[in-house]
Structures are given as C-alpha cells and as structure tokens.
C-alpha cells in the first residue's frame, strides 16, 4: 500500500505540520479539573478524526467522539492531553506558532 504524504514526512516535518494545524484549530490553557483545581490542557475538536489520530500517535492522549449538539451539525471528535504531557506537547510546537499563542504560553505559570 502506498504511503500518503503525511506518512512520508520526517518526524520534524510531522511536528511542523501538527504545529500549524494546532495553531489554527487548537486551544490550550489552565482549565478547571475539579472543584478547586486547574490543570494545563491542550485540545482540538474537529470533524476529521484521522487528523486527530495523528496528534494521538505523535504526542499521546486520546481521541473521543463528541456529542452532536444540533441535529444538522456534523459529528466531531476531540483530542486532548492534560498535565505534563500537555505542557511538553505545547512546549515542542510553540516556537512554530503565532505571537498571540507564544505570549499566552509565556503567561502560563510553570
């Protein structure tokens, strides 16, 4: 079976691809974990599960099916990481992301 273009990329180029996608579609920050706790998390929600599987393969984490919020909406999926794995993921890709995202990451307590 012939590899697709993504599968043919080097590990570094896969990272660049995922960073660009995350910059446009992803989110990260300190999110509520429990009643009085927050944890660093990163996530992407989209209709293309195969793309999210690439994040899971590269960084870990899970891809979950989201509840369809309105009958006429397309099924979406969410990839999410939390804690140290999430921080390490963003730390690897932040240098390739826009200034707004870099500033936000710099403001997160380490």
């Amino acid at each position: 079976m012939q590899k697709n273009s993504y599968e043919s990329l080097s590990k570094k180029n896969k990272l660049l691809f995922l960073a660009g996608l995350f910059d446009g579609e992803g989110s990260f920050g300190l999110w509520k974990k429990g009643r009085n706790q927050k944890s660093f998390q990163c996530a992407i929600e989209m209709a293309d599960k195969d793309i999210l599987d690439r994040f899971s393969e590269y960084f870990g984490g899970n891809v979950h099916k989201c509840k369809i919020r309105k009958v006429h909406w397309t099924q979406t999926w969410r990839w999410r990481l939390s804690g140290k794995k999430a921080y390490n993921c963003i730390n690897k890709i932040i240098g390739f992301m826009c200034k707004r995202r870099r500033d936000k990451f710099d403001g997160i307590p380490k």
Side-chain angles (χ1 to χ4, degrees), residues 1-18:
M1 178 179 230
Q2 185 177 359
K3 290 183 177 183
N4 66 30
S5 296
Y6 177 82
E7 292 169 339
S8 299
L9 294 174
S10 68
K11 188 167 181 156
K12 168 101 181 189
N13 285 337
K14 285 179 181 178
L15 181 67
L16 292 171
F17 172 85
L18 296 172

Side-chain angles (χ1 to χ4, degrees), residues 1-107:
M1 178 179 230
Q2 185 177 359
K3 290 183 177 183
N4 66 30
S5 296
Y6 177 82
E7 292 169 339
S8 299
L9 294 174
S10 68
K11 188 167 181 156
K12 168 101 181 189
N13 285 337
K14 285 179 181 178
L15 181 67
L16 292 171
F17 172 85
L18 296 172
L21 188 64
F22 191 93
D23 197 20
E25 298 293 327
S27 60
F28 66 86
L30 290 173
W31 295 337
K32 195 171 185 177
K33 183 178 180 183
R35 184 171 271 180
N36 295 319
Q37 296 178 330
K38 289 187 176 183
S39 72
F40 185 81
Q41 297 181 28
C42 59
I44 301 177
E45 183 175 332
M46 63 182 356
D48 301 310
K49 182 181 180 291
D50 60 325
I51 297 292
L52 297 180
D53 288 337
R54 292 174 181 177
F55 278 90
S56 183
E57 290 167 10
Y58 197 97
F59 296 110
N62 297 304
V63 177
H64 297 282
K65 190 177 197 179
C66 297
K67 180 180 177 182
I68 297 178
R69 295 174 190 95
K70 294 190 178 184
V71 177
H72 62 281
W73 286 8
T74 302
Q75 176 67 60
T76 60
W77 303 83
R78 181 178 299 124
W79 167 79
R80 179 178 290 164
L81 274 177
S82 58
K84 187 173 179 117
K85 285 183 177 182
Y87 183 84
N88 290 340
C89 168
I90 299 302
N91 197 44
K92 284 182 181 178
I93 63 177
I94 197 67
F96 305 111
M97 292 168 52
C98 69
K99 182 179 180 339
R100 176 181 62 86
R101 300 256 190 184
R102 290 191 312 267
D103 290 347
K104 179 180 178 181
F105 188 64
D106 289 343

